Structure formats: C-alpha cells, structure tokens
Amino acid sequence: MAGYPDVMDKLVSLCKRRGFIFQSSEIYGGTGSVWDYGPLGVELKKNIKDFWWNAMVRSRDDIEGLDAAILMHPRTWEASGHVAGFTDPLVDCKQCKARFRADKMDPKKLEANVCPNCGNKGTLTEPRLFNLMFKTHMGALEESSSIVYLRPETAQGIFVNFLNVQQSMRQKVPFGIAQIGKAFRNEITPGNFIFRTREFEQMEMQFFVEPGTDMEWFDQWKAKRMQWHFDLGLSPDRLKFHQHDAGELAHYARAAFDVTFDFGGTLGDQEIEGIHNRGDFDLSQHQQYSGKKLEYFDQPNNKRYVPYVIETSVGADRVTLATLVNAYREETVEGESEGRVVLGLKHSIAPIKAAIFPLTKKDGQPEMANRIVDDLRSAFAVDYDETGSIGKRYRRQDEVGTPFCVTIDGQSTSDQTVTVRDRDTLVQDRVDVSQLKGYLAAKLVG
C-alpha cells in the first residue's frame, strides 16, 4: 500500500505565507532548526496545549499543575544521568564537512569508513561523544561563576518538586504532576521543519504510583494517551504504538511505548509521544544526590516507600506539526476551475473560529459586520476581512482552517440575517443575527 504523500514543503510555504511559523532570525539568514510561531501558529499551538492541559489537569482531581524553572541546580543533571550519559556519538567527514550520528549510520558504511554524503572512503573521523546540553554561566563574572545548563527535559523539575506538591496539595498516591515548558538540546542532526529542533516545548506528566501497581497504571495511561490523540482529530490510521525492546529501553525504564504518527513521504512514522514506566529511578537518584528523603508515607497502611513513576511526554511542536500534516488537503470545487487548499483542523484547535465578511464596502454592510465581530469576539477568535472577491476570502480562510465564514449581504441589512458557510461541507445556512452566537457555539463544540 502506498504511503501518505509528502506535504512538508507545501506546509512550510503555507505556514510562512499565512502567519503560522517563520524561520527564526530570518533577516540575518536564519538560525538552524529554530522557529518562531507567528500570529496563527501561536494560537494553534496554544489551543493544542490547552487541549492537553484540560485533559490532564482541569478534568481530573488526581493531577496537579506545575511550572518549574528552566535553570536548575547543576547537581540535578548529575543525578538524572544527563551530565555523564546524555551524549551522542559524533562523526565528521573531513572531505565534505558533513556531520553524522554514528549510532544512526549504516554499520557497514561506518566500518568501511565511507561517507554517506559524498561517498569518499577513509574521510570519516573517529566517533567522539558530544553532550547535547547547552551550557551557560550563572554569576557576575564568567571566570568565577558556576556552570548551569538549559534543561534538556522538563521532567526533572517535577521530580525535585514531588514532595512540595504532594504535601502542599495534600495529594495521596497515586497522583500526578503535569507541566508544559521549554527544553533545549544541542541536536547534531536536527531538521524536518519543527519536528526536531534545538529549542522545543514539552507537555509532560509524571504519575506517582505504589510499587507493584505500576504496570497496571502503565497500561491505563497508554490507552488514555492514544485516545487523546484521536480526540485531537489525528487520523487513527496514521497513529500506532511502537514498543521499545530490551535494546532500545533507556537505562531507567521498566517498559516504554511510543505513540507514532505517519507524517507521510520519507519522514514516515515518527514518535510524537513517549509513555514510560520509569520505576523509582528518578526519585531514588535525587534522594541519593541531595541527601533529602523523597519517600511517600502511606498513613492508613503505616508504610513508607519511594513511588514508581509512569511518564507521559508529548512534544508540543511535534503534535502541532502532526495536526497540520493531518489536516492538510487539496480539493477540487464543483463549478470552479481552481481548487482549494484546506486545513481541516478540529474546531476546538482552529486558530480562527469564524471569519466575518461584508459582501461590499457600502450600504451599511461593513458597519453591520463590525458590530457582529464585536459581539462574537467575547466568545470566539474571529477575523474580519473585506478585501478581494468573496471567493478569494473563502479560500484564505480555508487555507488557515477557519471552520465558518459569515457573510453580510444586501439582504442582511434589511432582515438581520447572515449566511454562514461551513468549511468542510460548503453548506450555507441563513441565520438570524440574534441567534448567530448560539448557532456557532453549538457547531464549534468538539
């Protein structure tokens, strides 16, 4: 069966043209694998983050929110193993200057010392370990300051705050701590638009459980997290689990599954979320390195233990890219020579919920349109557009995923009704202005 088409180049172009995502520092030639979210991109990503936060925190009483600092005590990263072990083996070609991760190269080419890029033999350097953490200095003078790191993951901020959250919020195990935040990795081979970047955002939840109940909770969270991606609107046909075998498991993991999404083209199936049974590795390590007890006291049963942890970790940027790839489609329209590009985004995450168009710039239509915009803006993200033909305005909104377009025409000013056009079905309904907000609210659910 043929795979999904490669739409990445088209998406990169659309994202720049329509204000979703721009190359960082573009006027200076850009910064490698760092991206800026534009007006529509920041709305889309925020809606996705809110969708996650509502599912993980606001709809549950056993998960608490957190926003831990990016800069942490350097001992944190010694305890977590990042200082000693967060490295990739790096190989350079002395001829073409290309750089590769040795663990991702064809073993036969590596053994034969053949560059995968230029094909020259005997030009590869010996593999050398390259730590992925960004270093900086904290203090007034660099020579007397201490080295600190930009965090390569958000999880450690949760672990070091385990007792703070548990005691202040009077939570009983099992319970979780969730946060959304930036992380930084000096990736050797970043790329594929916002899929692998040096600065990225994670949506992570660490769920603390009693040892012995961990695999039961692991299976529950595995099912819940896959369902979340379905609920986000990602096609079930493009989603699947990848189980880590013994050779793939991280040193701390008792079990691990990835949720993968088929991006199409050469990128294909790639991880967008990890679900891990981390055992008691993290709390035990921080307990050892800090000298502070990180045990939970189970008062009814009069016992103490270091909880095991079930982790769910989603890449906010990767999921944003997955929603764009999943939503992108090109269609022919009956009776029109030109087709249309549509982002069929789930209504709840679309950056703009409704666009308001006066058919002409006269006869009181713009004034009526602006009154409608003012009324709807308190409830929805809306856009006003009076430029170009109505067909071109529809196409612009289709391309950014706006679910509904509201047109004010000559009839509107006389009978106070408007035409509401559905992005996906192209069906147009005539709606009384007094009922418009309720009509849209009912349609936008989900």
Side-chain angles (χ1 to χ4, degrees):
M1 187 180 80
Y4 290 96
D6 187 347
V7 298
M8 202 65 73
D9 288 344
K10 293 177 180 178
L11 266 182
V12 173
S13 174
L14 184 152
C15 284
K16 180 179 180 182
R17 189 173 68 254
R18 294 300 185 208
F20 281 91
I21 300 166
F22 309 127
Q23 174 73 59
S24 177
S25 313
E26 186 180 25
I27 63 170
Y28 291 101
T31 303
S33 294
V34 184
W35 300 88
D36 298 334
Y37 284 78
L40 295 191
V42 74
E43 287 289 336
L44 174 62
K45 190 177 176 185
K46 182 183 183 301
N47 291 343
I48 291 171
K49 291 189 290 186
D50 286 345
F51 193 77
W52 183 87
W53 193 260
N54 287 333
M56 301 298 280
V57 180
R58 290 189 179 144
S59 65
R60 303 179 63 100
D61 58 13
D62 60 350
I63 298 179
E64 304 289 351
L66 181 72
D67 184 8
I70 288 171
L71 298 177
M72 301 183 71
H73 194 287
R75 286 279 283 173
T76 302
W77 306 112
E78 294 177 29
S80 67
H82 284 84
V83 171
F86 195 55
T87 54
D88 283 341
L90 182 69
V91 171
D92 287 313
C93 176
K94 291 178 278 190
Q95 185 69 34
C96 68
K97 310 303 181 187
R99 177 170 289 170
F100 313 97
R101 278 180 54 178
D103 59 331
K104 299 293 184 183
M105 286 178 60
D106 182 337
K108 291 180 180 177
K109 286 192 174 183
L110 184 62
E111 186 179 350
N113 200 313
V114 175
C115 174
N117 186 52
C118 67
N120 284 308
K121 189 171 182 179
T123 59
L124 298 178
T125 63
E126 286 294 317
R128 61 192 188 281
L129 293 177
F130 175 76
N131 195 289
L132 301 180
M133 287 195 292
F134 284 99
K135 285 184 184 179
T136 188
H137 292 82
M138 184 179 287
L141 299 172
E142 186 170 320
E143 58 269 21
S144 61
S145 62
S146 60
I147 290 176
V148 292
Y149 301 94
L150 300 184
R151 65 183 180 195
E153 64 178 28
T154 58
Q156 302 306 320
I158 292 176
F159 297 135
V160 301
N161 278 295
F162 162 67
L163 281 184
N164 287 336
V165 173
Q166 184 267 314
Q167 293 171 357
S168 65
M169 304 310 292
R170 304 188 309 280
Q171 279 285 2
K172 293 179 173 60
V173 169
F175 81 99
I177 303 174
Q179 77 167 329
I180 299 173
K182 287 288 186 78
F184 308 84
R185 295 182 184 178
N186 195 11
E187 295 277 5
I188 298 167
T189 55
N192 288 310
F193 198 21
I194 57 171
F195 179 78
R196 180 174 284 110
T197 56
R198 293 187 167 102
E199 175 184 340
F200 54 95
E201 206 158 7
Q202 290 181 308
M203 305 185 291
E204 290 202 332
M205 191 278 298
Q206 310 294 332
F207 200 75
F208 301 91
V209 304
E210 182 177 352
T213 68
D214 48 303
M215 286 310 297
E216 177 186 345
W217 279 107
F218 178 79
D219 289 338
Q220 284 191 40
W221 277 111
K222 187 178 148 211
K224 285 179 184 296
R225 294 308 306 148
M226 181 61 87
Q227 184 61 50
W228 182 85
H229 291 282
F230 295 159
D231 295 342
L232 186 65
L234 297 183
S235 170
D237 293 340
R238 301 180 85 137
L239 290 162
K240 62 184 178 184
F241 282 118
H242 165 72
Q243 182 176 8
H244 290 217
D245 60 30
E248 291 179 285
L249 283 177
H251 60 280
Y252 54 75
R254 291 167 56 85
F257 278 78
D258 294 334
V259 177
T260 68
F261 175 82
D262 187 348
F263 286 90
T266 56
L267 190 55
D269 290 317
Q270 297 290 338
E271 175 197 352
I272 56 175
E273 173 164 9
I275 301 111
H276 307 122
N277 181 344
R278 299 179 71 115
D280 64 358
F281 172 81
D282 302 283
L283 293 182
S284 295
Q285 285 289 102
H286 288 301
Q287 187 171 257
Q288 177 187 334
Y289 275 73
S290 68
K292 308 289 185 184
K293 288 285 187 185
L294 294 177
E295 295 175 331
Y296 172 73
F297 179 52
D298 180 354
Q299 196 166 16
N301 295 303
N302 194 31
K303 61 181 178 180
R304 294 181 181 274
Y305 56 83
V306 175
Y308 279 17
V309 175
I310 308 303
E311 172 182 72
T312 72
S313 179
V314 197
D317 306 276
R318 291 187 178 188
V319 171
T320 299
L321 181 59
T323 61
L324 288 168
V325 168
N326 188 84
Y328 183 92
R329 64 179 190 261
E330 298 173 359
E331 295 179 345
T332 56
V333 180
E334 189 176 351
E336 295 186 18
S337 57
E338 292 184 14
R340 67 173 187 154
V341 171
V342 186
L343 284 184
L345 295 166
K346 185 182 176 74
H347 292 170
S348 59
I349 63 171
I352 302 167
K353 307 304 185 200
I356 317 302
F357 307 151
L359 190 60
T360 69
K361 298 180 184 179
K362 58 185 181 180
D363 301 330
Q365 292 178 23
E367 290 79 6
M368 183 176 179
N370 276 300
R371 288 195 298 273
I372 291 172
V373 167
D374 291 340
D375 180 52
L376 294 180
R377 191 163 272 153
S378 62
F380 317 115
V382 297
D383 184 38
Y384 175 87
D385 189 357
E386 61 177 26
T387 307
S389 69
I390 197 72
K392 287 183 177 177
R393 283 183 265 175
Y394 280 151
R395 295 295 172 263
R396 284 198 289 265
Q397 297 299 331
D398 290 342
E399 206 171 33
V400 300
T402 304
F404 297 100
C405 293
V406 178
T407 302
I408 292 83
D409 54 24
Q411 182 182 339
S412 302
T413 53
S414 61
D415 69 2
Q416 297 299 299
T417 64
V418 294
T419 299
V420 182
R421 178 247 200 196
D422 185 292
R423 175 195 70 197
D424 298 317
T425 66
L426 300 181
V427 169
Q428 299 191 16
D429 289 338
R430 200 77 192 178
V431 180
D432 192 281
V433 170
S434 64
Q435 305 297 317
L436 182 59
K437 187 183 288 185
Y439 173 93
L440 290 174
K443 293 279 189 178
L444 288 166
V445 171

